Amino acid sequence: MKPSQNEFDVVVVGAGFSGMYLLHKLRQAGLSARVLEAGTDVGGTWYWNRYPGARCDVPSIEYSFSFSPELQQEWQWTEVMAAQPEILDYANHIAQRFDLRSDIEFSTRVASAHFQEDEQRWRVTTDSGVEYAARFCVMATGCLSVPNTPQITGADNFAGDVFHTGNWPADGVDFSKRRVGIIGTGSSAIQAIPVIAEQVEHLTIFQRTPNYTMPAHNRPLSDDFRKQAIENYDEIRQQQRESQVGIVGYGFGFGGADNVEPTEAILETTEAERAALVEEEGFVAIRRFADVAIDPEANELACDMYRQQIGRVIHNPETAEALMPRDYPMGCKRPVIDTDYYETFNRSNVSLVDLRKGGIETITANGVQTAQGNYEFDTLVYATGFDAMTGALQKIDIRGRNNERLNDHWEAGPRTYLGLQINGFPNLFTVTGPGSPSVLSNMLVSIEQHVDWITECIEHMRDRQLRLIEPTLAAEDEWVVHVNEVAEGTMFTAPSCNSWYLGANIPGKPRIFMPYVGGVGEYRKKCDEVVANDYEGFVLSA
Ligand code: FAD
Ligand code: N01
């Protein structure tokens, strides 16, 4: 390709929070960059997931950027955990404040990224055939950005409207007078169900696996609280960066075990004591016990307390039984918090289909046929999640040295060094890639750390006139082993656990625990050490 207006120092794919901050940082470093984004505007997750009830479950004070003191001081969150429209407003505000849109190509989906060995640069091609060339290519494509629509027989025959929570219409959906069927009871469904139930004539919920969810206790933020938080930001940020999951819990704390550090041992309690705790505090009583996260026997006692509370909240015993998770430990899947989820099942316009008693056989023109019978509705909502962590990367035809395909390199599951780079794919970076804390953390903390690391690495190379960076195969191998070792023995990898962290939600996907469970603070230290040791594990060449 001849030098053209489509040549940059860096091409970034994705304009969610990762791509937005990366563009800002690269510009600050004096590098030329172009961001390519499939959507029509910024925001990523918060642009696509506009389903009713969508919100974050990290305190908004903490689910925000720290890189600009001015931004941090001026932005006023209204609730402990912000709803999707407010987070999208925040993304729009950032785009405007830092004039980001002028370097973002919207409605532009990247189809391929090939490393040109002779030119030592990446050629990135969009699905409409436009080419971009850059020394560096950064995939800021998101961990939860490829919605999963299961292949169910007859799906095309459905005559009514079909929606997916992960690709919700920007204008919303008028649910009044509709009879709606929703498939799935993960985080998205648990947020959407209570809100949709209030709007529809009837809601039928198809549940394959009941979930564990805790009350969110969300509430508006007072002016005093906001002021105090903004004044304490330096300390909050420092604590976030050093913590396990990037969350201090600023603004949480609602009474009962919600305020208690988990220090007690459930194995030391009697049945009567546990029953009394459930009676007093409900679901959150479980939070006081530290052994639940590490000991399977303790975990099962907590699950039992959990089921007792479901029995107390749900009026219909058959519905209560259907909602009780039984076959996998608490803490194996992404934690979920909710507002009035269980209470919704007491409404007269809501019914639950427990697919454990007979699964979906076909989708018909006007509903779903299961082994238990037919259920009719006129609107179908898939709340069936994502091809997580690797989905967006593997949809792009990425090729490295010797024309090697990323999909071949990752045939047995994702392999990276630090979740940042891949052997054989020089100058390609992933933001919050597999092998980093990523989805196990407050993502904004992890995004900032990765973007800072990547930008500083590119500056380091520029200043020393180095052209290529790539991890050694040995460093990648060792990191993959380490990522697996630290996950072993946790609830995340329990044999009965079928989570998207393990790829278990996508038929045929290799079963590998993808994120790094070692913690945000430890991981940051490791990344800093690598740099201090002259990019240990990487080869940098002129
Ligand atoms: P994304 O926001 O996913 O952005 C990636 C962008 O890349 C997308 O806009 C996509 O269109 C674009 N893209 C992908 N492939 C291509 C391609 N081939 N060509 C062009 N563009 C492409 N995290 C938390 O820490 N706390 C929360 O409370 C929380 N809540 C969440 C709620 C929901 C409903 C979901 C789905 C996720 C949530 N997350 C949460 C995770 C969330 O994804 C991250 O917090 C964060 O927004 C990710 O930002 P990102 O820029 O890395 O990725
Ligand atoms: O997706 P999920 P999600 N037939 O994969 C079911 C983030 N997020 O969109 O468990 C029937 O969790 C599937 O059933 P099963 C967060 O990281 C955060 O809800 O596989 N059912 C499951 O019930 C989260 O973890 C927030 O048996 C089928 C559901 O669909 C991630 O995004 C809010 C099926 C999918 O649940 C994904 O959440 C929302 C089939 N063929 C999202 N296929 C916050 O609050 C799938 N299912 C921060």
Side-chain angles (χ1 to χ4, degrees):
M1 196 168 114
K2 296 212 171 68
S4 74
Q5 56 182 17
N6 283 352
E7 269 194 70
F8 301 92
D9 294 322
V10 189
V11 162
V12 177
V13 189
F17 283 129
S18 297
M20 293 170 74
Y21 177 42
L22 193 53
L23 175 59
H24 175 66
K25 271 298 270 195
L26 292 168
R27 280 179 177 171
Q28 276 188 327
L31 294 153
S32 66
R34 185 54 51 102
V35 181
L36 309 176
E37 166 57 52
T40 61
D41 210 339
V42 298
T45 285
W46 307 102
Y47 165 92
W48 296 105
N49 291 262
R50 302 178 197 226
Y51 60 83
R55 66 172 65 247
C56 77
D57 64 358
V58 171
S60 13
I61 296 291
E62 300 189 49
Y63 189 78
S64 58
F65 280 126
S66 71
F67 69 83
S68 158
E70 297 79 22
L71 171 68
Q72 193 166 260
Q73 296 294 319
E74 77 201 8
W75 186 262
Q76 303 281 320
W77 295 105
T78 63
E79 291 178 273
V80 173
M81 285 157 285
Q84 173 273 329
E86 190 171 12
I87 305 175
L88 189 57
D89 283 351
Y90 179 66
N92 283 319
H93 173 74
I94 293 169
Q96 200 165 346
R97 193 184 199 293
F98 300 101
D99 181 30
L100 299 181
R101 289 190 176 89
S102 56
D103 280 325
I104 306 177
E105 306 273 350
F106 293 107
S107 307
T108 302
R109 184 169 287 282
V110 168
S112 68
H114 294 180
F115 180 64
Q116 308 294 302
E117 203 113 34
D118 49 342
E119 299 168 3
Q120 299 197 327
R121 56 184 187 168
W122 283 85
R123 184 175 299 183
V124 177
T125 310
T126 71
D127 60 2
S128 56
V130 180
E131 287 188 358
Y132 296 81
R135 171 89 44 220
F136 298 92
C137 176
V138 187
M139 294 294 171
T141 42
C143 293
L144 296 159
S145 55
V146 175
N148 164 46
T149 304
Q151 300 300 306
I152 301 175
T153 317
D156 290 344
N157 299 335
F158 188 70
D161 289 335
V162 179
F163 303 101
H164 194 295
T165 49
N167 187 4
W168 201 261
D171 297 337
V173 178
D174 179 1
F175 277 117
S176 55
K177 302 204 177 71
R178 289 196 194 224
R179 288 170 308 134
V180 177
I182 182 165
I183 301 178
T185 49
S187 301
S188 301
I190 286 174
Q191 288 185 330
I193 283 167
V195 186
I196 295 178
E198 281 180 1
Q199 301 170 11
V200 293
E201 195 176 294
H202 193 88
L203 179 63
T204 307
I205 297 149
F206 296 89
Q207 171 197 266
R208 191 164 67 179
T209 312
N211 226 316
Y212 299 99
T213 164
M214 291 277 171
H217 297 301
N218 194 28
R219 63 182 195 283
L221 289 176
S222 68
D223 288 343
D224 281 353
F225 179 89
R226 255 197 306 264
K227 190 165 166 280
Q228 187 198 44
I230 287 174
E231 280 166 8
N232 285 325
Y233 249 138
D234 286 351
E235 198 187 323
I236 296 170
R237 299 307 193 188
Q238 190 58 27
Q239 285 181 23
Q240 284 184 282
R241 292 184 193 120
E242 290 168 1
S243 69
Q244 173 72 19
V245 295
I247 303 171
V248 176
Y250 207 83
F252 281 164
F254 309 93
D258 256 339
N259 280 349
V260 177
E261 277 293 305
T263 51
E264 297 172 38
I266 199 170
L267 288 173
E268 287 168 15
T269 58
T270 64
E271 197 178 337
E273 282 167 347
R274 294 194 294 276
L277 274 174
V278 171
E279 186 98 7
E280 259 168 58
E281 294 184 356
F283 293 112
V284 299
I286 296 163
R287 286 195 171 149
R288 70 187 61 240
F289 300 115
D291 47 354
V292 170
I294 47 173
D295 184 313
E297 201 187 326
N299 196 287
E300 182 47 33
L301 289 180
C303 294
D304 194 53
M305 285 175 77
Y306 189 89
R307 290 187 287 264
Q308 284 175 37
Q309 178 61 7
I310 292 182
R312 295 178 70 241
V313 176
I314 304 292
H315 301 160
N316 178 323
E318 201 187 333
T319 307
E321 178 56 37
L323 286 165
M324 292 180 187
R326 289 196 181 276
D327 308 324
Y328 66 100
M330 192 178 281
C332 103
K333 299 192 183 202
R334 166 72 157 72
V336 187
I337 59 176
D338 71 273
T339 301
D340 295 336
Y341 179 61
Y342 287 117
E343 289 76 1
T344 302
F345 291 88
N346 291 331
R347 295 176 67 105
S348 57
N349 70 336
V350 170
S351 40
L352 176 65
V353 181
D354 179 1
L355 296 174
R356 291 178 298 187
K357 292 184 181 160
I360 296 176
E361 289 174 342
T362 56
I363 293 179
T364 63
N366 51 8
V368 158
Q369 188 183 316
T370 73
Q372 312 165 50
N374 251 330
Y375 299 88
E376 294 200 344
F377 45 84
D378 51 57
T379 302
L380 172 59
V381 176
Y382 287 102
T384 44
F386 302 89
D387 183 354
M389 299 212 76
T390 54
L393 296 166
Q394 296 197 273
K395 268 179 107 76
I396 302 173
D397 174 17
I398 300 177
R399 299 194 201 180
R401 284 189 196 282
N402 306 319
N403 212 24
E404 187 194 11
R405 287 169 198 271
L406 182 70
N407 287 349
D408 291 336
H409 193 72
W410 283 8
E411 201 180 359
R415 301 173 43 81
T416 69
Y417 180 41
L418 299 171
L420 280 164
Q421 271 217 306
I422 304 148
N423 173 259
F425 296 79
N427 291 9
L428 178 78
F429 293 94
T430 52
V431 183
T432 67
S436 72
S438 181
V439 290
L440 296 179
S441 69
N442 172 355
M443 292 285 273
L444 286 217
V445 175
S446 291
I447 287 169
E448 279 195 334
Q449 187 249 339
H450 265 192
V451 167
D452 291 347
W453 196 97
I454 292 167
T455 313
E456 282 156 27
C457 172
I458 295 176
E459 283 182 279
H460 170 93
M461 291 176 66
R462 180 191 55 189
D463 296 348
R464 286 159 187 75
Q465 291 171 351
L466 297 166
R467 292 175 82 83
L468 296 177
I469 177 167
E470 176 185 358
T472 64
L473 188 58
E476 185 175 284
D477 281 345
E478 275 170 38
W479 188 251
V480 169
V481 169
H482 176 62
V483 169
N484 285 312
E485 269 172 7
V486 287
E488 243 172 62
T490 65
M491 295 304 156
F492 292 124
T493 53
S496 56
C497 184
N498 286 315
S499 67
W500 59 256
Y501 293 141
L502 287 159
N505 63 328
I506 303 295
K509 195 163 169 172
R511 190 183 165 95
I512 298 278
F513 187 72
M514 295 182 282
Y516 178 56
V517 83
V520 160
E522 282 304 308
Y523 172 80
R524 177 185 294 268
K525 268 197 232 156
K526 170 73 188 166
C527 291
D528 291 348
E529 265 168 37
V530 163
V531 175
N533 293 334
D534 210 9
Y535 287 89
E536 189 179 11
F538 292 95
V539 176
L540 286 79
S541 53

